[in-house]
Amino acid sequence: EYANYFSRQKNTNIRLTLPVVCFVWQIAMIILFGVFIRYDEESDTHWVETKAHDNITSDIENDFYFRYPSFQDVHVMIFVGFGFLMTFLKRYSFGAVGFNFLIASFGLQWALLMQGWFHSLDPQTGKIFIGVESLINADFCVAGCLIAYGAVLGKVSPVQLLVMTLFGVTLFAVEEYIILNLLHARDAGGSMVIHTFGGYYGLTISWVLYRPNLHQSKRMQGSVYHSDIFAMIGTLFLWMFWPSFNSAITDHGDGQHRAVINTYLCLASTVLTTVAISSLSQKTGKLDMVHIQNSTLAGGVALGTAAEFMISPYGALIVGFFCGIISTMGYIFISPFLEKTLKIQDTCGIHNLHAMPGVIGGIVGAITAAAASESVYGKQGLINTFDFTGDFKDRTVLTQGGYQAAGMCVSIVFGVVGGAIVGSILKLPIWGDPADENCFDDEVYWEVREHPSHSGVQQPHDPQAARPVSPFSMLCLTISQN
Amino acid sequence: EYANYFSRQKNTNIRLTLPVVCFVWQIAMIILFGVFIRYDEESDTHWVETKAHDNITSDIENDFYFRYPSFQDVHVMIFVGFGFLMTFLKRYSFGAVGFNFLIASFGLQWALLMQGWFHSLDPQTGKIFIGVESLINADFCVAGCLIAYGAVLGKVSPVQLLVMTLFGVTLFAVEEYIILNLLHARDAGGSMVIHTFGGYYGLTISWVLYRPNLHQSKRMQGSVYHSDIFAMIGTLFLWMFWPSFNSAITDHGDGQHRAVINTYLCLASTVLTTVAISSLSQKTGKLDMVHIQNSTLAGGVALGTAAEFMISPYGALIVGFFCGIISTMGYIFISPFLEKTLKIQDTCGIHNLHAMPGVIGGIVGAITAAAASESVYGKQGLINTFDFTGDFKDRTVLTQGGYQAAGMCVSIVFGVVGGAIVGSILKLPIWGDPADENCFDDEVYWEVREHPSHSGVQQPHDPQAARPVSPFSMLCLTISQN
Amino acid sequence: EYANYFSRQKNTNIRLTLPVVCFVWQIAMIILFGVFIRYDEESDTHWVETKAHDNITSDIENDFYFRYPSFQDVHVMIFVGFGFLMTFLKRYSFGAVGFNFLIASFGLQWALLMQGWFHSLDPQTGKIFIGVESLINADFCVAGCLIAYGAVLGKVSPVQLLVMTLFGVTLFAVEEYIILNLLHARDAGGSMVIHTFGGYYGLTISWVLYRPNLHQSKRMQGSVYHSDIFAMIGTLFLWMFWPSFNSAITDHGDGQHRAVINTYLCLASTVLTTVAISSLSQKTGKLDMVHIQNSTLAGGVALGTAAEFMISPYGALIVGFFCGIISTMGYIFISPFLEKTLKIQDTCGIHNLHAMPGVIGGIVGAITAAAASESVYGKQGLINTFDFTGDFKDRTVLTQGGYQAAGMCVSIVFGVVGGAIVGSILKLPIWGDPADENCFDDEVYWEVREHPSHSGVQQPHDPQAARPVSPFSMLCLTISQN
């Protein structure tokens, strides 16, 4: 019986697939980088000549100094923020922070190539020139895939995650190209291109990979006291650095400045309404860590598009106000509904933290763009903010609002359709994913040295833990020891 | 008997009050922001015109680039630094990091308004124009309230904390106005306006809320191994980023540069003397985590006023040297005295980390200011450092020293008197604070899923944990299972 | 018998030595700083005159704004990165993060003096003028000593660590002077001067202090679940901020920009090959946290010298590719060999994370320098990158490659010889180091309040934990209680 419990019906041996995938893909990256990627003029030693040529008087004009502090904040969000946010499960923290590390490291390389091909391939040389803004964009692209990871956390193998990331980054680059370049929508903080796309991509994959018997790993679901505190590390670094996320690639000067102020205010407002709804949801007004860890961030997501606009400080507060309410109610009402009715098992609740607030963000962005006016922005300010130059110099704000809304739809479509296709690929029985009763358990893919009972996990497959020690056996042991 | 233990004589149900307070205050913020708060000229889209008008040649001259890296460091100190520093209690980490999050998020909004009204209300338009420096100041203001939280940690309800923050921010803005604007004292890192005020504010509230039977929650006091490591996350982020704290709003250029060097050196020195005294205090020279977590930071507090002055590198080391000694001895000798004799229960020992070092910082600032000279500072340097311009252009350094000392007294008075009044309000039996035996227990205000015995907390209300399992009952269990 | 177990044959009482060393050294620092250290012209109030004199139009030209964000990232690496990376041991996290804090705080003061005397002593005034770049260099110097700490973690007393740091910083400043100034080698990220030196310094000390009976503390070795997650905090902050480490003191403009891009790419590549080899090393392809925590960082070490060169993006990926493989295989094959055959006990595996990758970094640097060409760098770019000015203006890239290799050897020699001498000093029986069976145990030097059995550590000196409770004794207890 206990032996049975241990038997894993599924083969989770990834000793062949994982190393092969890692090696093949890393070698492919090296070759492709060799062919395509070069330093841009601000990171090349020829910068000294560029400066002279462009009459740049100071090294501080290098884009590096405008964007590097924001880049590092975004970098922390990707690796510590997303990684630790997902450590909340009692016994899947290695997988959370470790696989997050793996797929982000792969994804950012692939993103530099994909985004390069679509956005900055130099037609003359056939090369992609990268600088600090490329690194930020690569991190952004990876964020979409890490969001999707949140939906399937604990239920997939690292090989599946790498496949999911390969396709995710590819889809991301295409939808981003359509939304930002073809539709010329603005989305500096990625409400649409990152959060909506990533959210629906992950949810659809999770829907395809639905596990009707997931309750068999119920003992591993939920958090323990310490894992909730680890998760707060992720929450706080995401929350604190979100102003950098939304301002990292906005216009120099007032653009970055304003995006920071808006995001800072919006997130503060979200915290208060999250606490309010969380408290309302319990008989004695107790707070739920799940809400505090996640819904407090919804405001940052929802301001991803409009952060650089003149939404005004109180406008930012209002967006945060409603996002805290909606996201927390999502955890209370919508997540159970999704699981029961739509058969979507969403481990981290990314629907409430990314998908829904992302859609809100797209709508807020469309409305704010459509309502923009020269009296508020100034003539040149309006042109700068919406980049009404070149082919788009005659676009009106109303048209812009329409294209923003169209961008929103593109990101949803790409998420759902892409997720359905990729989900089908991941359903193939070759990826080493865990059996239902071994989900959310680090022991499947990690060497875990410690005996788990010390960490507060009830281990039904440990017969000694499942029932009290018989005094007779103890007597025998005692005698045998003395 | 055990049932009795569970009975909570006090009603800690906050399901009505907490959501109401959160909603009312957040809505009030939105309305007041709508009426008063606007982007300043460097974060407004009209910046493009401002630049042209002011002959600013580069976007990098936007104040954003001078202050944003420091701002983010301060932001980390407020949310991760203060939040995690307070997680040291074995079973109050949710409250530490969660309520810290809540009150900081509320406080910074109210601070933008209060500080705006007092410091930067534009008389013509009746508006407050905010930029990155306003965000730093709001975070600073919140710091005062979080310090105060340290004194009452585990003994109050979140509603009380919100009330405490509302009044704390209000008092802060007034005393800051008196000290910085009317007295024209310098206090860039807030030894006086932040630490001294916040310290005495919290200590006085704690004195008013004295609980003679607090020993009833003795089982929940103190730390466990892991909670001490979590607290070190807070300590280190506070320690590392303190140079940013003390330099965030100092003068561009040498002002920020010097404040960083001074604070960096001062804090390094503090660590060595803290370790020395901590080791001396134990029979075998063992170190105490409480000292390492807290007293190592005292140097940063004590250099809050003088960090921007020409205190010279060895001067900074000397300040750190004495602060490490005094603060650690505070934990060993003064805290027990305060509790027994003065009836001040100071959970985090903020008297040793903020109040006392803050006063030292005020004194160091007054002396250093009074000793300043043109030979050391240069003629223009002296004017810049002490802002001897406008109404204050004839002030001598000696006079300045006197006003610095006067500022010190103002901050103490505001802390003590304000704390007494607010403490009295918080004593009303309507706030849902916990009973003596339920202090320091997250289960009062948080959904805690895990059985606590796994985390090293002795649970006297768990009969199975309080006494050894009877072999007879075990025999029965064993039989019944087989 | 059990009493025996408790007896510590060695005297670990450090109540006299630790405070005395801390006080004496801190006082010495104050005196020496008073004699030697002054603000440099960019952090002095006379900067206002310097600016006018040098026609500097904006405060943003102050070196502070070029380097402060990188400095703070480096600072986080030193205190949180190194500190938490070493918390992986189940019961030595206080020592890891606490002693790291202590020796870094002491070391940086001594480093400012030593590096000042060797690199920037003003011959006219006899003073050392410090600014933000000095702080970065001091942090770098300390890094060398923290690496060495990794080899002896858990086996030495804090007094020994302070002695080791005093000599380590001294040796560092000398070898750095020889390598960077005399040989004029380039080593911006310190593959040679920091990692190779620090690695061999620590390994040699550990070799001298070899403990044949270290297996007596076997119960304390290895990690528990939560300690591995704490260690990941260190890993990630090191990993994320390594681009700042390698670019912190490179040339303004393209130099910093390029170093960031190279390091970012190199580290991403390392993660994939680390995962691949780690998975290959286990029967079922499971990953080992030790590899993920450490080997993922090897790429940053190995790019320390070449990060500022035009190694090209794919070149950076290649370096990372091999470093992940070599470092992980080091943990699997070389570390056991070192311990058994060479009698080097390397607690953290610094040979695999710092020494070996450091040597690789030196070689990569030498080759890349020798292969540099004007066609790639541009005429002025080549001069800037290798600083072919003054005495070295006629040096060819081939000669430069030779000097780079020579620098590599100097760092190894300093590490080994210095380590042998310092190791001999540390072998004196006066430093209060722990007995073999008490290694890796925080209780030796720290007040630990909590009963350890709650945290998953088997405590053989606890008779109740070592053998099952006798039902008879339990019966007695039960009776006596009822």
Side-chain angles (χ1 to χ4, degrees):
Chain A
E1 180 192 347
Y2 287 112
N4 250 1
Y5 202 95
F6 264 114
S7 80
R8 291 181 172 142
Q9 303 101 329
K10 286 194 167 184
N11 179 9
T12 59
N13 188 331
I14 48 170
R15 199 186 180 184
L16 184 67
T17 44
L18 184 59
V20 164
V21 168
C22 286
F23 275 125
V24 168
W25 289 0
Q26 189 56 54
I27 291 168
M29 291 300 109
I30 292 173
I31 295 167
L32 291 168
F33 269 61
V35 176
F36 288 104
I37 307 267
R38 297 292 178 271
Y39 303 118
D40 72 4
E41 59 177 18
E42 294 188 297
S43 57
D44 190 289
T45 44
H46 290 86
W47 161 248
V48 60
E49 294 151 29
T50 313
K51 268 194 303 179
H53 181 265
D54 296 354
N55 279 323
I56 295 168
T57 54
S58 167
D59 280 321
I60 199 94
E61 295 288 328
N62 196 304
D63 195 38
F64 181 76
Y65 301 103
F66 287 91
R67 306 222 182 267
Y68 190 63
S70 313
F71 161 67
Q72 273 298 3
D73 293 349
V74 171
H75 216 39
V76 171
M77 292 172 76
I78 298 297
F79 290 89
V80 164
F82 281 104
F84 272 86
L85 183 61
M86 296 191 285
T87 57
F88 72 98
L89 286 170
K90 65 184 77 164
R91 208 68 186 177
Y92 206 71
S93 304
F94 290 5
V97 79
F99 295 154
N100 183 82
F101 195 15
L102 171 64
I103 60 181
S105 298
F106 164 67
L108 60 88
Q109 299 178 55
W110 182 230
L112 282 170
L113 284 161
M114 283 301 302
Q115 293 183 315
W117 286 322
F118 276 96
H119 292 273
S120 58
L121 192 72
D122 184 61
Q124 283 190 300
T125 58
K127 305 294 180 199
I128 299 159
F129 297 96
I130 61 168
V132 66
E133 191 169 341
S134 321
L135 307 189
I136 297 171
N137 277 314
D139 273 19
F140 277 5
C141 182
V142 164
C145 298
L146 299 182
I147 290 165
Y149 180 25
V152 297
L153 182 75
K155 301 175 292 185
V156 292
S157 77
V159 182
Q160 285 177 305
L161 287 172
L162 283 166
V163 172
M164 199 170 132
T165 303
L166 180 78
F167 287 104
V169 167
T170 311
L171 290 161
F172 182 99
V174 177
E175 58 110 29
E176 186 191 34
Y177 178 72
I178 296 172
I179 295 171
L180 301 189
N181 295 45
L182 301 187
L183 301 178
H184 197 71
R186 303 293 287 173
D187 196 17
S191 289
M192 305 184 283
V193 298
I194 300 170
H195 298 286
T196 306
F197 165 73
Y200 286 106
Y201 181 62
L203 289 167
T204 313
I205 291 176
S206 193
W207 174 73
V208 176
L209 299 181
Y210 180 67
R211 289 169 177 266
N213 298 316
L214 193 58
H215 58 83
Q216 290 177 6
S217 57
K218 201 173 177 194
R219 73 193 186 286
M220 306 304 287
Q221 294 175 32
S223 61
V224 286
Y225 194 71
H226 282 116
S227 69
D228 269 328
I229 307 170
F230 278 119
M232 281 303 291
I233 297 175
T235 300
L236 287 176
F237 276 102
L238 287 170
W239 194 92
M240 295 180 303
F241 289 164
W242 216 294
S244 298
F245 194 92
N246 283 352
S247 70
I249 56 164
T250 52
D251 290 340
H252 288 178
D254 64 286
Q256 291 195 279
H257 204 152
R258 187 169 55 254
V260 160
I261 295 173
N262 286 337
T263 312
Y264 171 93
L265 291 175
C266 182
L267 282 166
S269 173
T270 311
V271 174
L272 268 89
T273 51
T274 298
V275 166
I277 300 294
S278 182
S279 177
L280 269 178
S281 74
Q282 295 284 345
K283 242 195 302 193
T284 57
K286 289 188 185 189
L287 298 173
D288 190 324
M289 260 290 165
V290 171
H291 307 153
I292 307 301
Q293 282 159 8
N294 293 282
S295 297
T296 50
L297 300 166
V301 173
L303 217 66
T305 303
E308 59 177 333
F309 299 162
M310 294 285 284
I311 194 170
S312 82
Y314 77 92
L317 289 184
I318 290 172
V319 173
F321 186 91
F322 287 107
C323 278
I325 295 172
I326 292 166
S327 177
T328 313
M329 292 181 87
Y331 278 96
I332 300 167
F333 300 113
I334 303 178
S335 285
F337 169 81
L338 286 183
E339 178 147 3
K340 271 184 206 149
T341 314
L342 297 187
K343 309 293 182 200
I344 298 175
Q345 291 155 331
D346 177 7
T347 312
C348 296
I350 63 162
H351 184 260
N352 313 305
L353 172 47
H354 296 283
M356 242 187 340
V359 172
I360 295 172
I363 296 167
V364 168
I367 295 171
T368 330
S373 67
E374 268 190 34
S375 68
V376 171
Y377 285 74
K379 191 178 166 59
Q380 188 60 40
L382 196 67
I383 293 171
N384 289 351
T385 305
F386 294 99
D387 194 20
F388 286 155
T389 57
D391 290 349
F392 307 98
K393 73 174 193 291
D394 298 323
R395 194 180 266 190
T396 64
V397 291
L398 261 174
T399 323
Q400 179 67 26
Y403 279 106
Q404 295 283 144
M408 184 77 252
C409 302
V410 171
S411 67
I412 294 175
V413 170
F414 263 80
V416 173
V417 175
I421 297 167
V422 175
S424 311
I425 296 170
L426 296 180
K427 233 182 144 74
L428 298 175
I430 57 171
W431 304 114
D433 53 313
D436 290 337
E437 69 262 40
N438 296 318
C439 283
F440 314 115
D441 189 347
D442 269 334
E443 292 203 38
V444 180
Y445 301 115
W446 296 87
E447 283 293 303
V448 181
R449 287 172 193 84
E450 171 204 9
H451 192 289
S453 71
H454 290 289
S455 295
V457 186
Q458 286 289 343
Q459 292 288 333
H461 51 68
D462 180 350
Q464 294 294 338
R467 50 178 187 168
V469 182
S470 136
F472 184 70
S473 66
M474 281 170 66
L475 191 63
C476 302
L477 271 165
T478 315
I479 289 164
S480 70
Q481 286 209 340
N482 292 329
Chain B
E1 181 190 350
Y2 287 113
N4 250 0
Y5 202 95
F6 263 115
S7 79
R8 294 187 170 134
Q9 304 100 331
K10 284 193 167 185
N11 180 9
T12 59
N13 189 330
I14 49 172
R15 197 185 182 185
L16 184 66
T17 44
L18 183 60
V20 164
V21 167
C22 286
F23 275 126
V24 168
W25 289 1
Q26 189 56 54
I27 291 168
M29 291 301 108
I30 291 173
I31 295 167
L32 290 168
F33 269 61
V35 176
F36 289 104
I37 306 268
R38 296 293 178 270
Y39 303 118
D40 72 4
E41 62 176 17
E42 294 188 296
S43 57
D44 190 289
T45 44
H46 290 85
W47 161 248
V48 62
E49 294 151 30
T50 312
K51 267 197 300 180
H53 180 266
D54 296 353
N55 279 322
I56 295 168
T57 55
S58 167
D59 280 323
I60 199 92
E61 295 288 328
N62 195 304
D63 196 37
F64 181 76
Y65 301 103
F66 287 90
R67 306 219 181 269
Y68 189 62
S70 314
F71 161 67
Q72 272 297 4
D73 293 350
V74 171
H75 215 40
V76 171
M77 293 173 75
I78 298 298
F79 290 89
V80 165
F82 282 104
F84 273 86
L85 184 62
M86 296 192 285
T87 57
F88 71 97
L89 287 169
K90 66 184 76 166
R91 209 67 187 177
Y92 206 72
S93 304
F94 290 6
V97 80
F99 295 153
N100 183 82
F101 195 16
L102 170 64
I103 60 180
S105 298
F106 164 66
L108 61 87
Q109 298 178 56
W110 182 229
L112 281 169
L113 284 161
M114 282 302 300
Q115 294 183 316
W117 285 323
F118 274 97
H119 292 273
S120 57
L121 192 72
D122 183 64
Q124 283 189 301
T125 58
K127 303 294 180 199
I128 299 161
F129 296 96
I130 62 169
V132 66
E133 192 169 341
S134 321
L135 307 189
I136 297 172
N137 276 314
D139 273 19
F140 277 5
C141 183
V142 164
C145 298
L146 299 181
I147 290 165
Y149 179 24
V152 297
L153 182 73
K155 301 174 293 186
V156 293
S157 77
V159 182
Q160 284 178 304
L161 287 171
L162 282 166
V163 172
M164 201 170 130
T165 303
L166 181 78
F167 287 106
V169 167
T170 311
L171 290 161
F172 182 99
V174 177
E175 57 112 28
E176 187 191 36
Y177 178 72
I178 295 172
I179 295 172
L180 301 188
N181 295 44
L182 301 187
L183 301 178
H184 198 69
R186 303 293 286 172
D187 196 18
S191 290
M192 306 184 284
V193 297
I194 301 170
H195 298 286
T196 305
F197 165 74
Y200 286 106
Y201 181 61
L203 290 167
T204 313
I205 290 176
S206 193
W207 173 74
V208 176
L209 300 181
Y210 181 67
R211 289 169 178 265
N213 298 316
L214 193 58
H215 57 84
Q216 290 177 5
S217 58
K218 202 173 177 192
R219 75 194 184 285
M220 305 304 286
Q221 295 175 30
S223 61
V224 286
Y225 194 71
H226 282 117
S227 68
D228 269 327
I229 308 170
F230 278 119
M232 280 304 290
I233 297 174
T235 299
L236 287 175
F237 276 102
L238 287 170
W239 193 91
M240 296 181 303
F241 288 164
W242 216 293
S244 297
F245 194 92
N246 283 351
S247 70
I249 57 164
T250 53
D251 289 341
H252 287 178
D254 64 286
Q256 290 195 280
H257 204 153
R258 189 169 52 254
V260 161
I261 295 173
N262 287 336
T263 311
Y264 171 91
L265 292 174
C266 181
L267 282 165
S269 173
T270 310
V271 174
L272 269 89
T273 51
T274 298
V275 167
I277 300 294
S278 183
S279 177
L280 269 177
S281 74
Q282 295 283 344
K283 243 197 300 191
T284 57
K286 289 187 185 188
L287 299 172
D288 191 325
M289 260 291 166
V290 172
H291 306 152
I292 307 300
Q293 282 159 7
N294 294 281
S295 297
T296 51
L297 301 165
V301 172
L303 218 67
T305 302
E308 60 177 332
F309 299 162
M310 294 284 283
I311 195 171
S312 83
Y314 76 92
L317 289 184
I318 291 172
V319 172
F321 186 91
F322 287 108
C323 279
I325 296 172
I326 293 167
S327 177
T328 314
M329 292 181 87
Y331 278 97
I332 301 169
F333 300 112
I334 303 178
S335 283
F337 169 82
L338 286 183
E339 177 146 4
K340 273 187 205 145
T341 315
L342 296 188
K343 308 294 182 201
I344 299 175
Q345 291 155 333
D346 178 6
T347 312
C348 296
I350 63 163
H351 184 260
N352 314 303
L353 170 49
H354 295 282
M356 244 190 336
V359 171
I360 295 172
I363 296 168
V364 168
I367 295 171
T368 329
S373 68
E374 267 189 35
S375 66
V376 171
Y377 284 73
K379 192 176 164 58
Q380 189 60 40
L382 195 67
I383 293 170
N384 289 352
T385 306
F386 295 98
D387 195 20
F388 286 155
T389 57
D391 290 350
F392 307 98
K393 73 171 192 294
D394 298 324
R395 193 181 267 192
T396 64
V397 291
L398 261 174
T399 323
Q400 179 67 26
Y403 278 107
Q404 295 284 143
M408 183 76 253
C409 302
V410 172
S411 67
I412 296 175
V413 170
F414 262 80
V416 173
V417 176
I421 296 167
V422 175
S424 311
I425 296 169
L426 296 180
K427 236 183 142 72
L428 298 175
I430 57 172
W431 305 114
D433 53 315
D436 289 336
E437 69 264 38
N438 295 319
C439 283
F440 314 114
D441 190 348
D442 268 336
E443 292 201 38
V444 180
Y445 301 115
W446 296 87
E447 282 295 303
V448 182
R449 288 170 191 85
E450 171 204 9
H451 191 287
S453 72
H454 290 289
S455 293
V457 186
Q458 288 290 344
Q459 291 286 336
H461 50 68
D462 179 352
Q464 293 295 335
R467 49 177 188 170
V469 182
S470 137
F472 184 71
S473 68
M474 281 170 65
L475 192 65
C476 303
L477 271 166
T478 313
I479 289 163
S480 70
Q481 286 210 338
N482 291 331
Chain C
E1 181 191 346
Y2 286 111
N4 250 1
Y5 202 95
F6 263 114
S7 79
R8 292 184 171 138
Q9 301 101 332
K10 286 193 166 185
N11 180 8
T12 59
N13 188 330
I14 48 170
R15 197 185 181 185
L16 185 66
T17 44
L18 184 60
V20 164
V21 167
C22 286
F23 274 126
V24 168
W25 290 1
Q26 189 56 54
I27 291 168
M29 289 302 106
I30 291 172
I31 295 168
L32 290 168
F33 268 61
V35 176
F36 289 103
I37 307 269
R38 297 292 179 271
Y39 303 119
D40 72 3
E41 59 179 17
E42 295 188 296
S43 57
D44 191 288
T45 43
H46 290 86
W47 161 248
V48 61
E49 293 152 29
T50 313
K51 269 195 302 180
H53 180 265
D54 296 353
N55 279 323
I56 295 168
T57 53
S58 166
D59 279 323
I60 198 95
E61 295 288 328
N62 195 305
D63 195 38
F64 180 76
Y65 300 103
F66 287 90
R67 306 221 182 266
Y68 190 62
S70 313
F71 160 68
Q72 272 297 3
D73 292 350
V74 171
H75 215 40
V76 171
M77 293 173 74
I78 299 297
F79 290 89
V80 164
F82 281 104
F84 272 87
L85 184 61
M86 297 192 284
T87 57
F88 72 97
L89 286 170
K90 65 185 77 162
R91 207 67 186 180
Y92 205 72
S93 304
F94 290 6
V97 79
F99 295 153
N100 183 83
F101 194 17
L102 170 63
I103 61 181
S105 298
F106 164 66
L108 60 86
Q109 298 178 55
W110 182 228
L112 282 170
L113 284 161
M114 281 301 302
Q115 294 184 315
W117 285 323
F118 275 95
H119 293 272
S120 59
L121 191 71
D122 184 63
Q124 283 189 300
T125 57
K127 303 294 181 202
I128 300 160
F129 295 97
I130 62 169
V132 66
E133 194 170 339
S134 321
L135 307 189
I136 297 172
N137 277 312
D139 272 19
F140 277 5
C141 182
V142 164
C145 298
L146 299 181
I147 290 165
Y149 179 27
V152 297
L153 181 73
K155 302 175 294 186
V156 293
S157 76
V159 182
Q160 285 177 304
L161 287 172
L162 282 166
V163 172
M164 200 170 130
T165 303
L166 180 77
F167 286 105
V169 167
T170 311
L171 289 161
F172 183 100
V174 177
E175 58 111 29
E176 186 191 36
Y177 178 71
I178 295 173
I179 295 172
L180 300 189
N181 294 45
L182 301 187
L183 301 178
H184 198 69
R186 304 291 288 172
D187 196 17
S191 290
M192 306 185 284
V193 299
I194 300 170
H195 299 285
T196 307
F197 165 74
Y200 286 106
Y201 182 61
L203 289 168
T204 313
I205 290 176
S206 194
W207 174 73
V208 176
L209 299 181
Y210 181 67
R211 291 170 176 264
N213 298 315
L214 193 57
H215 57 84
Q216 290 179 6
S217 57
K218 204 173 172 191
R219 73 192 187 285
M220 304 304 286
Q221 294 175 30
S223 61
V224 286
Y225 194 72
H226 282 117
S227 68
D228 269 327
I229 308 169
F230 278 119
M232 280 304 289
I233 297 175
T235 299
L236 288 175
F237 275 103
L238 286 170
W239 193 91
M240 297 180 302
F241 288 164
W242 215 293
S244 298
F245 194 91
N246 284 351
S247 71
I249 57 165
T250 53
D251 290 340
H252 288 177
D254 64 287
Q256 292 194 280
H257 204 154
R258 187 168 54 255
V260 160
I261 294 173
N262 287 336
T263 311
Y264 172 91
L265 292 174
C266 182
L267 282 165
S269 174
T270 310
V271 174
L272 267 89
T273 52
T274 297
V275 167
I277 300 293
S278 182
S279 178
L280 270 178
S281 74
Q282 295 282 346
K283 244 194 303 191
T284 56
K286 289 186 184 188
L287 298 173
D288 190 325
M289 260 290 166
V290 172
H291 307 152
I292 307 301
Q293 282 159 8
N294 293 281
S295 297
T296 50
L297 301 166
V301 173
L303 218 66
T305 302
E308 58 177 333
F309 300 163
M310 294 284 284
I311 194 172
S312 84
Y314 76 93
L317 289 183
I318 291 173
V319 172
F321 186 90
F322 287 108
C323 278
I325 296 173
I326 292 167
S327 177
T328 314
M329 292 180 89
Y331 277 97
I332 301 168
F333 299 114
I334 303 178
S335 283
F337 169 81
L338 285 182
E339 175 146 4
K340 273 184 203 147
T341 314
L342 296 187
K343 310 293 182 198
I344 299 175
Q345 292 156 332
D346 177 5
T347 311
C348 296
I350 62 161
H351 184 261
N352 314 304
L353 172 47
H354 296 281
M356 246 189 335
V359 172
I360 295 172
I363 296 168
V364 168
I367 294 171
T368 330
S373 68
E374 269 190 33
S375 67
V376 172
Y377 285 75
K379 193 176 162 60
Q380 190 59 41
L382 197 67
I383 292 170
N384 289 353
T385 305
F386 295 100
D387 195 20
F388 287 155
T389 55
D391 292 347
F392 306 99
K393 74 172 190 295
D394 298 324
R395 192 180 267 190
T396 66
V397 290
L398 261 175
T399 323
Q400 180 67 26
Y403 279 106
Q404 295 283 145
M408 184 76 253
C409 302
V410 170
S411 66
I412 296 176
V413 170
F414 262 81
V416 173
V417 176
I421 296 167
V422 174
S424 310
I425 296 169
L426 296 180
K427 234 182 142 71
L428 298 174
I430 56 173
W431 304 115
D433 52 315
D436 290 336
E437 70 262 38
N438 295 319
C439 283
F440 314 115
D441 189 348
D442 268 336
E443 292 203 37
V444 180
Y445 302 115
W446 295 88
E447 283 294 304
V448 181
R449 287 172 191 85
E450 170 203 9
H451 191 288
S453 71
H454 291 289
S455 293
V457 187
Q458 287 289 342
Q459 292 285 335
H461 52 67
D462 180 351
Q464 294 294 337
R467 47 177 191 171
V469 182
S470 136
F472 185 70
S473 66
M474 280 172 66
L475 191 63
C476 302
L477 271 166
T478 313
I479 289 164
S480 70
Q481 286 210 341
N482 292 331

